[in-house]
Amino acid sequence: MVSAVEQPADQHHRPANCCNPVNKPGPVTMDHVLAALGETKEERETRIRSLFSFFDTSNAGYLDSNQIEVGLSALQIPSDYKYAKELLRVCDANRDGRVDYQEFRRYMDDKELELYRIFQAIDVEHNGCILPEELYDALVKAGIELDDDELASFVERVDKDNNGIITFEEWRDFLLLYPHEATIENIYQYWERVSLVDIGEHAVIPAGISKHVHASKYLIAGGVAGAASRTATAPLDRLKVALQVQTTHAAIVPAVKNIWKEGGILSFFRGNGLNVIKVAPESAIKFYTYELLKDFIGGGDKDDIGTLGRLLAGGIAGAVAQTAIYPMDLVKTRLQTYVCDGGKVPSLGKLSKDIWVHEGPRAFYKGIVPSLLGIIPYAGIDLAVYETLKEMSKTYIFVDSDPGPLAQLGCGTVSGALGATCVYPLQVVRTRMQAHRHGGANAYNGMTDVFMKTYQNEGARGFYKGLFPNLLKVIPAASITYMAYEAMKKTLDLE
């Protein structure tokens, strides 16, 4: 790509009076930062104190979230971006709700070192300035593609003296108060937000990082996570379904013996192949839709949609995914509840054909209503509780670092178990409607009829048949799903 701001080759050299290439060997230290800025330690100390005083308008000697918010607004950082609370959180080392000068200075030290490291990584020539094409190359490596106008706008927003290049001083001033980790993806999103403030009355809102990052990465992450979890818990899923459809006394040990008699250990995995095929697109669609909805609800700020936003996004994403794969789910249930004749199980093709011929195409959506009524709160509670617990662990336990695998396991366990228990009666009704064959015994006439007959013949306990193996299943399933998803997101650079 030829940038709109690229200069002819003979004008491509960096002006010596605006760049400070640093040739100090060894790991990055504050000496490198001072050399790049052309500052002494005393000058830097004066600059930081002046910035602290700019926020501390009441001369209280400390900053609270209101003072930080007022200061950020004065610096033309959008007030709706919620930077004040985030900046307070990362600066407030002793967690007393306010920031004194030493905490503020410690943040400045860490942030300037962080910004210098990424500046050096982008400045591949190490001449002390970032050229537009170097910035473009760094964005492309991160999976973000810009057109000429977007790149020119990005450079113009950072380049205060409008000479077409970015010095470290300009880079630092643009990002110094950005409280999140300074990755190239986060910097791009930050530019999108702040560029809405002062680019003129004909402001053009950038389309957003979601259009640049390949959608297939989210599909892969969700698919791998879902397939791994369901394969590991297939025997418990088969036992759960067997108990759910029993209208007489249901007990775990007799159900296990009956499944074993049908074909040994392999009988516990009946329907697992279809389950993997089904759950891969289901999980992928759910997670990708959830990410898009978070971006839409949060206005581009995925980290600040709140619990209600997570609940709404999770519920809609679950409903979309479940509707898309529901016929496969019904066939899987029929396969798992099929009474073997001589130990033989019909093929998926024959089973699907029989449903189509004898019951019609609408039969593939039997139980869709209780399924949707269940999947919306389940997906909402599951995803919302998980992300809330993860954020709480980052805030109160790990302090700005990512939770480890054990913490993610705990978050997934709690969220999965809570979501499954809340909607389990609807799962029982759905399974019974799915398993019901036209003209068979115990005929049902819709969802209400299933509710009535289950309650009349089995009482309230009938709605919780199979709950124990379901909890045994959902705990590792949810945990494996979310751990695999988080791992895939990091592997595919989606965070």
Side-chain angles (χ1 to χ4, degrees):
M1 168 185 157
V2 178
S3 171
V5 295
E6 185 173 333
Q7 300 295 324
D10 59 343
Q11 298 179 24
H12 213 78
H13 299 292
R14 307 167 191 247
N17 61 346
C18 75
C19 299
N20 289 306
V22 179
N23 297 315
K24 293 179 178 291
V28 174
T29 65
M30 191 54 65
D31 289 338
H32 292 82
V33 173
L34 292 173
L37 295 172
E39 278 185 328
T40 65
K41 291 182 179 180
E42 292 74 17
E43 290 171 337
R44 180 174 180 273
E45 179 72 20
T46 300
R47 171 172 56 83
I48 294 175
R49 281 200 173 274
S50 296
L51 183 58
F52 183 83
S53 298
F54 172 80
F55 284 97
D56 184 20
T57 54
S58 62
N59 295 319
Y62 63 85
L63 310 178
D64 57 25
S65 60
N66 291 331
Q67 289 174 301
I68 295 175
E69 185 172 358
V70 170
L72 293 177
S73 297
L75 294 172
Q76 293 188 316
I77 294 176
S79 59
D80 65 338
Y81 197 30
K82 312 298 188 212
Y83 268 154
K85 292 181 180 178
E86 286 294 313
L87 189 57
L88 176 67
R89 184 173 64 85
V90 298
C91 291
D92 184 16
N94 62 8
R95 296 292 185 262
D96 62 352
R98 59 189 191 182
V99 178
D100 60 29
Y101 178 72
Q102 292 304 319
E103 291 174 321
F104 186 77
R105 189 178 187 280
R106 190 179 303 114
Y107 165 81
M108 290 294 162
D109 291 345
D110 295 339
K111 179 59 69 172
E112 290 190 357
L113 288 170
E114 178 187 40
L115 295 177
Y116 184 74
R117 291 188 188 98
I118 192 169
F119 182 88
Q120 284 290 86
I122 298 173
D123 177 22
V124 293
E125 295 182 17
H126 299 300
N127 287 329
C129 294
I130 295 176
L131 291 171
E133 53 266 37
E134 289 178 324
L135 181 59
Y136 174 79
D137 289 342
L139 290 165
V140 169
K141 288 179 182 178
I144 303 167
E145 295 183 5
L146 286 76
D147 58 30
D148 289 356
D149 291 338
E150 287 177 310
L151 180 62
S153 178
F154 197 156
V155 173
E156 180 182 356
R157 184 62 179 80
V158 185
D159 177 24
K160 294 188 295 185
D161 59 7
N162 297 316
N163 65 351
I165 57 178
I166 300 172
T167 65
F168 178 63
E169 180 180 357
E170 293 169 332
W171 183 257
R172 178 209 64 194
D173 290 347
F174 180 60
L175 294 165
L176 188 60
L177 298 174
Y178 177 68
H180 304 296
E181 182 183 0
T183 63
I184 192 66
E185 296 94 332
N186 286 346
I187 292 170
Y188 175 76
Q189 288 181 311
Y190 175 61
W191 163 71
E192 287 190 315
R193 301 294 299 183
V194 298
S195 65
L196 304 182
V197 177
D198 59 358
I199 58 177
E201 58 186 15
H202 300 293
V204 178
I205 300 175
I209 195 170
S210 60
K211 78 168 186 176
H212 300 301
V213 176
H214 301 298
S216 60
K217 290 186 177 182
Y218 282 115
L219 296 176
I220 292 171
V224 170
S229 68
R230 294 306 175 92
T231 299
T233 59
L236 289 169
D237 184 65
R238 176 76 203 281
L239 176 60
K240 177 202 72 173
V241 172
L243 292 171
Q244 285 179 332
V245 297
Q246 289 187 19
T247 56
T248 58
H249 178 70
I252 293 177
V253 174
V256 171
K257 290 181 177 179
N258 289 335
I259 295 173
W260 181 269
K261 289 178 181 178
E262 291 179 359
I265 189 67
L266 292 179
S267 183
F268 286 93
F269 288 86
R270 186 196 295 180
N272 183 56
L274 183 60
N275 201 24
V276 170
I277 296 173
K278 170 185 77 72
V279 87
E282 179 185 13
S283 295
I285 293 169
K286 180 176 71 172
F287 281 114
Y288 180 57
T289 305
Y290 180 64
E291 294 291 339
L292 290 181
L293 288 169
K294 282 207 307 182
D295 189 63
F296 175 76
I297 293 171
D301 182 14
K302 291 184 179 182
D303 294 325
D304 194 32
I305 66 172
T307 301
L308 289 178
R310 293 189 184 100
L311 187 63
L312 176 63
I316 295 175
V320 170
Q322 182 70 9
T323 302
I325 57 82
Y326 193 79
M328 298 172 68
D329 190 59
L330 182 133
V331 173
K332 182 205 72 139
T333 300
R334 290 288 181 92
L335 186 64
Q336 290 182 322
T337 58
Y338 187 84
V339 179
C340 293
D341 183 11
K344 294 183 179 180
V345 180
S347 66
L348 293 178
K350 184 179 185 306
L351 191 61
S352 300
K353 182 179 179 181
D354 288 344
I355 296 172
W356 182 280
V357 172
H358 297 294
E359 303 176 54
R362 292 182 63 182
F364 287 99
Y365 282 90
K366 281 185 177 180
I368 185 66
V369 174
S371 181
L372 290 180
L373 290 176
I375 200 66
I376 291 176
Y378 173 75
I381 294 169
D382 189 11
L383 286 169
V385 171
Y386 173 77
E387 289 215 351
T388 300
L389 289 174
K390 191 177 75 168
E391 288 302 313
M392 289 176 63
S393 68
K394 288 172 65 175
T395 301
Y396 299 107
I397 301 176
F398 298 96
V399 189
D400 299 329
S401 62
D402 288 330
L406 288 178
Q408 293 180 25
L409 178 65
C411 294
T413 298
V414 174
S415 64
L418 182 60
T421 302
C422 289
V423 303
Y424 193 76
L426 288 168
Q427 286 189 31
V428 172
V429 173
R430 178 200 65 184
T431 302
R432 291 187 175 190
M433 293 180 70
Q434 288 178 331
H436 170 246
R437 292 168 175 79
H438 180 71
N442 299 319
Y444 295 118
N445 295 315
M447 180 179 69
T448 303
D449 191 41
V450 178
F451 270 108
M452 294 296 295
K453 288 182 176 178
T454 299
Y455 184 76
Q456 290 172 357
N457 300 328
E458 304 165 62
R461 295 182 63 182
F463 293 105
Y464 289 92
K465 285 183 175 179
L467 178 60
F468 181 66
N470 186 62
L471 288 178
L472 291 180
K473 175 183 76 71
V474 79
I475 289 173
S479 303
I480 294 169
T481 297
Y482 286 114
M483 288 181 68
Y485 181 62
E486 294 292 327
M488 289 298 296
K489 282 177 71 175
K490 288 185 178 179
T491 300
L492 298 173
D493 295 326
L494 293 177
E495 289 192 322

